[in-house]
Amino acid sequence: MFCYQCEQTAGCAGCSGSAGVCGKTADIAGLQDELTGALIGLARAANGNEPTKRTDRVMTEGLFATLTNVNFDEKALKGLIARAHEEKEQMVPECGKCASVCGRNGDYDMKDLWQEEEDIRSLKSLILFGLKGMAAYAYHAMVLGYEDETVSRFFYKGLSAVGQEKTMEELLPLVMETGEVNLKCMELLDKANTDTFGVPAPASVSLSVEAGPFIVVSGHDLYDLKQLLEATEGKGINIYTHGELLPAHAYPELRKYGHLKGNFGTAWQNQQKEFADIPAPVLFTTNCLMPVRASYSDRVFTTGVVSYPGMIHIGEGEAENGKKDFTPLIKKTLELGGYKETKKFTGINGGSEVTTGFGHGAILSAADKVVEAVKSGTIRHFFLVGGCDGARAGRNYYTEFVKKAPEDSVILTLACGKFRFNDLNLGTIGGEKDGLPRLMDMGQCNDAYGAVRVAAALAEAFECGLNDLPLTLVLSWYEQKAVCILLTLLYLGMKKIYLGPTLPAFLSKNVLNYLVENYDIRPISTPEEDLKQILQ
């Protein structure tokens, strides 16, 4: 096997041998490559042919399934490969039997990509991994009934380029186009979520778990959570979000359910420890699933694209009303019974609650106050400290950065990186009563469009460019959704982005130099040195 699509790849170079750092075996890695190759073959076949909505769904689900920590199941991956082949056969019958050298009659062999000249491989990897991340956002919008023709078509265009001979001059514009289309995709998801669940509003979320039966729900899928809330209403079962699902508490159409109680645990990489002895089941709706340990394997359920061998999978439309049938999950919950009395948990820094819901709607509603605070000097600087969390050493940098940021600065945060510091009480800025919170959680990586909206509105208010704002992005990355967000920021022309804890292994020296020279990408150093450089 060979894989270098995540930040924790072995030796910061690439996983090989019998297993990856993420826990996938060489066989599963091979199937994921086979699936990617089948999707590239499907994309090449679509050139000159019109994919159907069903084809688009196969493309989106297939790419999503190859993300880090999503699908570890051989049967599920083989099923997606078969669906990709079936769609290709429907689109271009007998294509696979054709002897033509048009390049559209076979699946792509991913070994060809890994053996490309390093700069070509690097640029194609940026496109491929960006497409994988974008597929996650497109999937969440799609299940809510929202699709965009530009986004759907670009999956075919981008994958076709990965499977063709291309020069650096041809690939660089496609890298930027990936960022451009991902911006449209994130805007689509933002609309899907707010149209369906309402505009997020700030909410305080308890980290304690009440006595009685409960379910922990992980992942990003708000629609799965809503279906589960409906299915458990009135059954004496409480629901707690985990990790990526924390922002659900900010949406009025979800918060109205009284048994949506709080958030359990911290970031995704701590699940093997945090789930070990809880008297409750865990439902994984999307990523990030880690290899399931025996201590809690009898309590894990999966749904959607996420899958793990031996775990009960809840499929779509299994109930008579077309919604998911959570009966096995509910039965297991009642059997386990939950805690006998309220169990108090804390965040990494000892806080007993966290706050979320500072989306672009909430922040822009106070835009006049924000602008005045900047003009008066009350707010000196904004830091967007966000991105993925992970287990590799060095991520305490982000906790220390936030702690050491000056008191006249505001910390905006997105995604799982915030679990390093989101239980800190940083107080307010501009007065205790009418001031602004110094720490504002804007949601997960799915909500990154909100940060773009806020930055654009501030630039308009100050009549300046994005790079002229008193705003610095300090980002941590782990997997492919972070890649497509970075490409979107580059498309928007954002410069002086601090990136860590390590640079992507798939960036060749020449491609990295290009990003440094044209966008001033900066690897993180120490919180003290970086703050000094930023604020000088």
Side-chain angles (χ1 to χ4, degrees), residues 37-52 55 59 84-96 102-108 153 155-157 159-161 163-164:
L39 294 173
I40 292 174
L42 179 60
R44 293 189 297 196
N47 185 21
N49 298 288
E50 189 63 31
T52 65
T55 315
M59 180 65 73
H85 288 157
E86 181 182 340
E87 288 304 313
K88 182 177 177 182
E89 179 64 23
Q90 290 287 331
M91 191 185 308
V92 280
E94 304 297 317
C95 178
C102 69
R104 293 193 289 151
N105 52 339
D107 291 351
Y108 179 70
R153 295 291 77 80
F155 286 127
Y156 300 91
K157 180 179 179 179
L159 285 181
S160 292
Q164 296 173 3

Side-chain angles (χ1 to χ4, degrees), residues 158-368:
L159 285 181
S160 292
V162 173
Q164 296 173 3
E165 291 187 9
K166 295 285 185 181
T167 65
M168 286 188 69
E169 291 72 23
E170 291 173 313
L171 290 170
L172 277 169
L174 278 171
V175 171
M176 291 300 109
E177 190 176 356
T178 304
E180 179 183 11
V181 176
N182 183 61
L183 178 61
K184 183 177 284 291
C185 186
M186 290 194 300
E187 181 181 13
L188 177 72
L189 179 57
D190 180 79
K191 178 175 174 55
N193 284 338
T194 53
D195 284 357
T196 307
F197 305 111
V199 177
S204 295
V205 183
S206 172
L207 301 181
S208 296
V209 177
E210 296 180 11
F214 68 98
I215 299 171
V216 175
V217 190
S218 189
H220 292 86
D221 205 285
L222 298 175
Y223 184 51
D224 280 335
L225 176 62
K226 186 174 189 298
Q227 291 188 70
L228 180 62
L229 287 167
E230 292 172 344
T232 53
E233 192 168 23
K235 289 183 168 58
I237 296 173
N238 289 329
I239 306 297
Y240 293 84
T241 57
H242 170 265
E244 294 87 350
L245 210 52
L246 171 61
H249 296 273
Y251 288 92
E253 288 301 309
L254 299 174
R255 193 161 53 187
K256 70 181 184 182
Y257 291 92
H259 59 304
L260 178 60
K261 291 291 185 177
N263 189 74
F264 173 83
T266 52
W268 66 272
Q269 77 275 4
N270 300 320
Q271 64 189 257
Q272 291 176 328
K273 178 181 178 180
E274 292 176 343
F275 294 163
D277 57 2
I278 60 171
V282 182
L283 174 67
F284 284 90
T285 64
T286 54
N287 57 317
C288 296
L289 170 68
M290 295 179 71
V292 180
R293 292 186 173 176
S295 58
Y296 59 92
S297 61
D298 64 324
R299 291 174 270 129
V300 168
F301 293 74
T302 62
T303 192
V305 178
V306 67
S307 189
Y308 195 88
M311 304 298 106
I312 297 177
H313 186 81
I314 296 173
E316 288 188 44
E318 293 181 352
E320 291 183 5
N321 60 5
K323 293 187 177 182
K324 294 183 178 181
D325 185 359
F326 292 105
T327 300
L329 174 60
I330 293 171
K331 181 180 178 182
K332 187 68 175 179
T333 305
L334 295 174
E335 287 176 359
L336 291 168
Y339 292 112
K340 300 300 182 184
E341 56 187 28
T342 296
K343 190 89 167 177
K344 293 185 177 181
F345 295 97
T346 65
I348 289 177
N349 301 286
S352 60
E353 66 176 30
V354 294
T355 303
T356 189
F358 288 95
H360 60 84
I363 294 178
L364 293 181
S365 67
D368 292 344

Side-chain angles (χ1 to χ4, degrees), residues 54 60 80 154 209 284 327 390 449 452 503 535:
R54 187 180 65 186
T60 303
L80 284 165
F154 188 72
V209 177
F284 284 90
T327 300
Y449 175 72
V452 173
L503 291 175
L535 297 172

